[in-house]
Amino acid sequence: MRPAMLTLWTYDWVPPPPRGHVRDIRLRWAMIEAGLPYTVATVPFDNRGPDHLARQPFAQVPFLTDGGITLFESGACLLHLAEKSETLMPRDPAGRADTLQWLIAGLNSVEMVSVPWWFIGLSRPETNPLDGWLDQRLMRLADVLASRDWLAAGRFTVADILMADILRVPALRPRLGPPLAAYLDRTLSRPAFDQARQDQLAHFAAADAGRPS
Ligand SMILES: N[C@@H](CCC(=O)N[C@@H](CS)C(=O)NCC(=O)O)C(=O)O
């Protein structure tokens, strides 16, 4: 039996600023790394209806369909994909556990600080009250990556896809010390990342044509 086709769901269009950073890139990147064929389907950005809410209760993207399965949350989608390919997560129990813990650390120990920090920074306060919290997390992460190339299991995994996507937010770059900057360069220089980014940019650019200017 042929495996069910994976479908990545994203918005039909977004304004230019977030292009290249919409979280569907995490899933694109993972599927390209793993050689998992997928199609892209869309929900309206401007008009988030009940169909969208039924599959992503916060009216966000991405979400993923795999045959009769629908998943939301980029982390959950990445773990679902990782179950399909050893490229994304080792099969031995210790390597798998290491990958799981670092993927959750990306979401729950780094992104949980970096997103509110970024959001507060948009209003350009004189000081950001989350600077200290963020820098402490980045410093601890840099300590880990000072002595190894990848987060988990001694090799590239889906945890690196997630962590690199969290760290590559432009506002964060100046706060990354040498180990994190080197880690980010190493991870983002993978051809699958470049492909995923180009694909996302092309997807949203193609939608410009159909919109009133
Ligand atoms: N925790 C969610 C966050 C998803 C998220 O923030 N999606 C953004 C695009 S990158 C979105 O849909 N933003 C529109 C909105 O929140 O209304 C995940 O990781 O999937």
Side-chain angles (χ1 to χ4, degrees), residues 113-131 133:
V113 194
S114 65
V115 168
W117 173 87
W118 169 82
F119 194 71
I120 289 170
L122 291 180
S123 59
R124 303 197 179 285
E126 254 172 51
T127 57
N128 187 323
L130 300 189
D131 278 352
W133 189 18

Side-chain angles (χ1 to χ4, degrees), residues 63-177:
F63 53 94
L64 182 73
T65 52
D66 178 7
I69 298 172
T70 304
L71 291 108
F72 66 96
E73 284 296 335
S74 59
C77 297
L78 287 175
L79 288 174
H80 183 77
L81 295 172
E83 298 291 354
K84 294 178 178 294
S85 168
E86 197 166 355
T87 303
L88 299 173
M89 181 167 69
R91 291 298 177 253
D92 67 289
R96 189 171 182 278
D98 207 17
T99 307
L100 293 180
Q101 70 182 356
W102 276 108
L103 185 134
I104 300 298
L107 294 170
N108 209 37
S109 294
V110 180
E111 192 168 47
M112 79 169 292
V113 194
S114 65
V115 168
W117 173 87
W118 169 82
F119 194 71
I120 289 170
L122 291 180
S123 59
R124 303 197 179 285
E126 254 172 51
T127 57
N128 187 323
L130 300 189
D131 278 352
W133 189 18
L134 175 73
D135 288 341
Q136 190 241 43
R137 289 292 151 90
L138 294 177
M139 187 186 75
R140 301 280 183 220
L141 188 60
D143 286 349
V144 169
L145 287 164
S147 58
R148 63 198 208 218
D149 283 354
W150 308 110
L151 284 174
R155 45 160 280 200
F156 174 83
T157 68
V158 71
D160 297 299
I161 292 179
L162 184 75
M163 192 67 84
D165 192 52
I166 292 167
L167 295 177
R168 77 186 177 94
V169 171
L172 274 177
R173 290 280 183 128
R175 306 186 89 85
L176 306 181

